[in-house]
């Protein structure tokens, strides 16, 4: 378990490569670089063979749980398998060798890729215009709300509040706040859906938008969406969809058809980009045409009768401005583009159908052992409660930690906030029935452990490189310094 630092593996004089003797005149570095610019002490590099370097990094790569190692049912995050061909596409020389300042004539393929991707996202969502600039879902929310504000401002009043259900993801109120809005919370009813009466009470002429995730964070489709849209629009407010759960709707429901005015996508969730550890994402935003003028620029558009199909258009005086350097996270777009092209319309629909099927398969089995506070029907994820287990002194956190010993990533815990001891499970469409069964068996086996000796659960995990951490302290006092021996 204790992999040394690569510096500790270093042995003086050992090399990972060998070069032939120079066959051109050798000039000493002193002749090439003036003294004040030269190092006084040579850099500290580990001296290590190629094989030892490879083994070192392979050892490190299996210390953390990741998708190439095992099941990752982290609710809300859509940790599905990302086809490796996406990586090949994103690594193509024609893409990686591009520079954003390159003359446009050398970048036509990239413009076309971005233009077509925006078109596909428009088709999937039923929106009229899409910006690819935002870096992630939360950044998309902020972009969308700035567009909402600009729209209301153009009509004379930016308005004051954003209304959200109590099941909302934490980024929603945060984005509303950074966009200058006060948050107003609406209750969920006992089915886990927006309480329409409470919503009606909280909407008024100062409401800028109602922000809703659909299916919501309990994995439930907001069936009253037509009434919700009518109530919101009657006040002149806009309906914003947090599209993080789009993995349940592809080819089945288009947000634009059910009354939404703005939607953000999480390309790294629905459209398959590796996104553990917070690494680069992309959060495009789609809007209906009355909002299109406010989107960030440049927009990638079809050229009007020009020689080329696509162009980057920077002109629009109403635009909220830029939300990112250049075009956004280009390599994530390439992955999403490759994924969409590979699957096609039929394939995308199958993604959602299988995501829903897998979640329901697992839910039917686990509801025998755990409380399921909202019976559904569910789409691509479901939320169990560990309330019954808590009676034996075992918290959801203990169950999640113990799962790590079974080689499974823990589900999302303690979210959404409206479920006690929540365990939020999203298996995704890419897992086999055998994997789902193995997960259910692990959960059932943990229940047997609780029945036998609940105390023992407090020590979990026992087989991981580090045991139970004080997570607050570990995050706040991060200690990754290298201390030379
Ligand atoms: C993931 C998620 C977000 C935030 O998206 P990021 O890409 O992580 O910024 C917002 N809402 C919901 C429901 C999510 O699951």
């Amino acid at each position: 378990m204790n992999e040394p630092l690569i510096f500790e593996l270093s042995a003086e004089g050992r090399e990972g490569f060998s070069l032939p003797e120079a066959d051109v005149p050798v000039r000493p570095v002193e002749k090439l670089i003036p003294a004040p610019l030269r190092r006084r002490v040579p850099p500290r590099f580990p001296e290590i063979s190629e094989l030892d370097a490879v083994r070192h990094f392979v050892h490190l790569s299996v210390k953390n749980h990741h998708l190439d190692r095992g099941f990752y049912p982290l609710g809300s995050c859509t940790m599905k398998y990302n086809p490796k061909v996406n990586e090949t596409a994103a690594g193509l020389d024609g893409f990686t060798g591009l520079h954003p300042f390159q003359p446009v004539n050398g970048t036509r393929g990239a413009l076309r890729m971005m233009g077509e991707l925006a078109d596909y996202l428009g088709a999937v969502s039923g929106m009229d215009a899409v910006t690819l600039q935002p870096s992630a879902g939360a950044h998309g929310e902020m972009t969308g709300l700035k567009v909402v504000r600009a729209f209301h401002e153009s009509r004379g009043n930016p308005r004051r509040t954003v209304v959200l259900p109590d099941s909302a993801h934490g980024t929603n109120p945060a984005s509303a706040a950074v966009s200058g809005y006060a948050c107003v919370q609406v209750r969920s009813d006992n089915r886990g859906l927006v309480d329409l009466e409470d919503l009606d009470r909280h909407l008024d002429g100062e409401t800028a938008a109602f922000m809703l995730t659909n299916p919501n964070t309990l994995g439930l489709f907001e069936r009253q969406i037509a009434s919700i849209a009518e109530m919101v629009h009657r006040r002149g407010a806009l309906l914003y969809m947090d599209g993080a759960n789009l993995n349940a709707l592809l080819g089945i429901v288009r947000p634009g058809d059910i009354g939404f005015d703005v939607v953000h996508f999480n390309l790294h969730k629905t459209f398959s980009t590796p996104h553990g550890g917070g690494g680069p994402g992309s959060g495009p935003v789609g809007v209906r045409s009355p909002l299109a003028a406010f989107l960030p620029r440049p927009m990638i558009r079809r050229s009007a009768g020009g020689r080329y199909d696509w162009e980057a258009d920077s002109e629009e005086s109403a635009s909220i401005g830029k939300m990112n350097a250049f075009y956004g996270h280009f390599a994530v777009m390439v992955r999403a583009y490759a994924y969409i092209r590979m699957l096609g319309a039929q394939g995308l629909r199958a993604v959602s159908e299988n995501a829903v099927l897998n979640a329901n398969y697992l839910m039917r089995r686990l509801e025998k052992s755990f409380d399921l506070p909202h019976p559904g029907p569910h789409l691509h994820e479901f939320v169990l409660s560990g309330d019954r287990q808590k009676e034996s002194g075992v918290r959801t956190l203990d169950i999640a930690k113990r799962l790590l010993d079974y080689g499974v990533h823990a589900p999302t815990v303690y979210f959404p906030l409206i479920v006690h001891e929540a365990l939020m499970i999203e298996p995704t469409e890419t897992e086999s029935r055998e994997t789902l069964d193995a997960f259910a068996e692990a959960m059932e086996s943990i229940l047997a452990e609780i029945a036998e000796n609940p105390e023992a659960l407090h020590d979990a995990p026992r087989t991981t490189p580090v045991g139970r951490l004080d997570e607050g302290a570990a995050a706040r006092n991060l200690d990754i310094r290298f201390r030379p021996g």
Side-chain angles (χ1 to χ4, degrees), residues 107-125:
T107 64
R108 295 287 171 190
L111 287 179
R112 177 173 162 200
M113 185 282 293
M114 291 189 283
E116 290 185 358
L117 175 61
D119 266 11
Y120 298 152
L121 296 176
V124 162
S125 61

Side-chain angles (χ1 to χ4, degrees), residues 76-77 136-139 141 169 171-172 213 217 242 244-245 264 266 268-269:
S76 216
C77 294
H139 197 204
E141 293 167 25
H169 191 272
T171 53
N172 293 182
T213 311
T217 59
D242 176 334
N245 289 343
H264 81 252
N266 302 58
H268 43 291
K269 293 179 179 171

